């Protein structure tokens, strides 16, 4: 239908005396069609790549179940958004260069100007460059991932977001803390691979210490066979022995090893 309609329009214009044939045979017209087709194709490919990166990222960030898969999922939550952003920036930048070339604008001076502008931005925003560099080191060293519970510059919280510029933590009361990477000098990760919980059990001086240690072992054995707690306990309870003598109690120290982020729940139980 499209071809027939186009042919009818051409015939009508020719009948009316308009030089349609000369226009259709014009090299300038075909050059415009060629450039327009390349621009349309470039925009289409750009949109497809951006859409595909979003779909792949959402697929990778879908909830995973337990164990090692859970750890991989947490690392993907950190890396996938960074990779997706890099892909988007790179594709849009390349598409912009192609479109400018098709519009007859030389991209060499544009690239040179962008380089000079970036250099000026870098000198003016040295803290931002430091954020990026420190963020890369944190990323490569795998110091933290989205979902980890960490302590950064005296602030405890769970990592909700990590970018090359800042770390976003949410503490126990729900407050959100955004900490630039450039000021991070120490990261205390409480959920890296596994977690521990230290128990200080106070007993009266008259109690039998050996009996208390045996009782702690029985409690640990019972929890190990409990459906709600057994799967999160990685090792038997480690009894370290008497820690100190306080005014009215003897403190016995023990230690649990659990799956990440489960130490507080099991320790309270």
């Amino acid at each position: 239908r499209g071809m027939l309609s186009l042919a009818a329009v051409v015939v009508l214009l020719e009948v009316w005396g308009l030089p349609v044939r000369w226009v259709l045979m014009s090299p300038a017209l075909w050059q415009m069609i060629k450039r327009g087709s390349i621009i349309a194709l470039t925009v289409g490919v750009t949109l497809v790549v951006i859409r595909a990166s979003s779909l792949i990222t959402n697929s990778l960030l879908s909830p995973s179940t337990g164990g090692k898969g859970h750890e991989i999922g947490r690392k993907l939550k950190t890396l996938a958004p960074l990779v997706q952003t890099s892909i988007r920036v790179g594709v849009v930048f390349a598409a912009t260069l192609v479109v400018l070339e098709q519009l007859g604008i030389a991209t060499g001076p544009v690239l040179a100007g962008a380089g000079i502008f970036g250099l000026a931005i870098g000198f003016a925003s040295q803290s931002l460059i430091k954020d990026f560099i420190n963020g890369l080191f944190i990323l490569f060293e795998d110091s933290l991932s989205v979902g980890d519970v960490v302590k950064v510059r005296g602030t405890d919280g769970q990592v909700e977001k990590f970018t090359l510029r800042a770390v976003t933590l949410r503490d126990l009361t729900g407050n959100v803390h955004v900490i630039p990477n450039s000021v991070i000098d120490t990261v205390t990760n409480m959920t890296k691979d596994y977690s521990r919980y230290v128990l200080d059990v106070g007993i009266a001086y008259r109690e039998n210490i050996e009996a208390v240690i045996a009782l702690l072992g029985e409690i640990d054995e019972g929890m190990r066979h409990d459906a709600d707690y057994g799967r999160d306990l990685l090792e038997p309870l480690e009894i370290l022995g008497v820690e100190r003598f306080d005014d009215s109690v003897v403190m016995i120290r023990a230690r649990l090893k659990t799956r990440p982020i489960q130490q507080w729940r099991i320790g309270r139980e």
Side-chain angles (χ1 to χ4, degrees):
R1 288 182 180 180
M3 296 297 295
L4 289 175
S5 300
L6 180 61
V9 170
V10 170
V11 171
L12 286 175
L13 292 176
E14 283 285 347
V15 170
W16 290 339
L18 296 176
V20 178
R21 190 179 307 171
W22 177 83
V23 173
L24 291 178
M25 298 299 294
S26 172
L29 175 64
W30 289 106
Q31 186 70 13
M32 290 175 58
I33 293 175
K34 176 184 176 182
R35 290 176 181 269
S37 301
I38 293 176
I39 291 174
L41 180 62
T42 301
V43 173
V45 170
T46 301
L47 294 176
V48 169
V49 171
I50 291 176
R51 180 60 178 167
S53 67
S54 299
L55 291 176
I56 293 173
T57 300
N58 293 335
S59 174
L60 292 175
L61 296 182
S62 60
S64 54
T65 54
K68 188 175 180 181
H70 179 62
E71 283 298 314
I72 294 175
R74 291 168 61 188
K75 292 179 180 179
L76 283 175
K77 286 181 180 179
T78 304
L79 293 173
L82 295 176
V83 174
Q84 181 186 11
T85 302
S86 301
I87 291 175
R88 286 184 174 183
V89 172
V91 170
V92 171
F93 181 73
T96 302
L97 293 180
V98 173
V99 171
L100 291 177
E101 284 284 351
Q102 295 305 315
L103 293 177
I105 302 174
T107 57
V110 174
L111 290 174
I116 296 173
F117 181 73
L119 190 61
I121 293 284
F123 281 118
S125 306
Q126 295 185 22
S127 61
L128 183 62
I129 302 301
K130 189 176 180 181
D131 287 340
F132 278 27
I133 294 175
N134 211 22
L136 287 173
F137 278 113
I138 294 174
L139 180 63
F140 292 149
E141 294 171 359
D142 197 20
S143 301
L144 55 83
S145 301
V146 173
D148 285 343
V149 178
V150 300
K151 183 175 183 180
V152 177
R153 293 189 64 82
T155 302
D156 297 337
Q158 188 171 29
V159 180
E160 282 197 345
K161 184 179 179 181
F162 173 68
T163 66
L164 292 180
R165 195 196 69 81
V167 176
T168 302
L169 303 180
R170 186 180 295 273
D171 63 20
L172 189 62
T173 58
N175 299 319
V176 175
H177 306 268
V178 180
I179 304 173
N181 293 332
S182 58
V183 301
I184 298 176
D185 51 8
T186 303
V187 176
T188 303
N189 194 329
M190 292 172 270
T191 55
K192 180 73 172 178
D193 299 329
Y194 62 87
S195 297
R196 290 194 184 275
Y197 190 88
V198 177
L199 292 162
D200 282 335
V201 182
I203 62 171
Y205 277 89
R206 64 177 181 275
E207 301 295 341
N208 187 324
I209 293 177
E210 298 299 330
V212 172
I213 291 176
L215 181 58
L216 288 173
E218 292 176 10
I219 295 173
D220 174 65
E221 186 67 23
M223 291 185 65
R224 197 168 295 284
H225 291 88
D226 189 286
D228 293 332
Y229 302 100
R231 64 180 300 273
D232 293 324
L233 286 164
L234 299 181
E235 292 180 359
L237 180 68
E238 183 181 1
I239 308 293
L240 302 178
V242 175
E243 173 65 17
R244 65 184 181 273
F245 298 98
D246 287 345
D247 292 340
S248 58
V249 294
V250 178
M251 301 301 297
I252 297 177
R253 176 160 290 185
R255 188 169 66 170
L256 293 165
K257 184 177 181 180
T258 70
R259 295 186 185 277
I261 313 183
Q262 301 301 318
Q263 70 269 35
W264 296 290
R265 181 177 71 96
I266 295 177
R268 281 191 292 268
E269 180 67 19

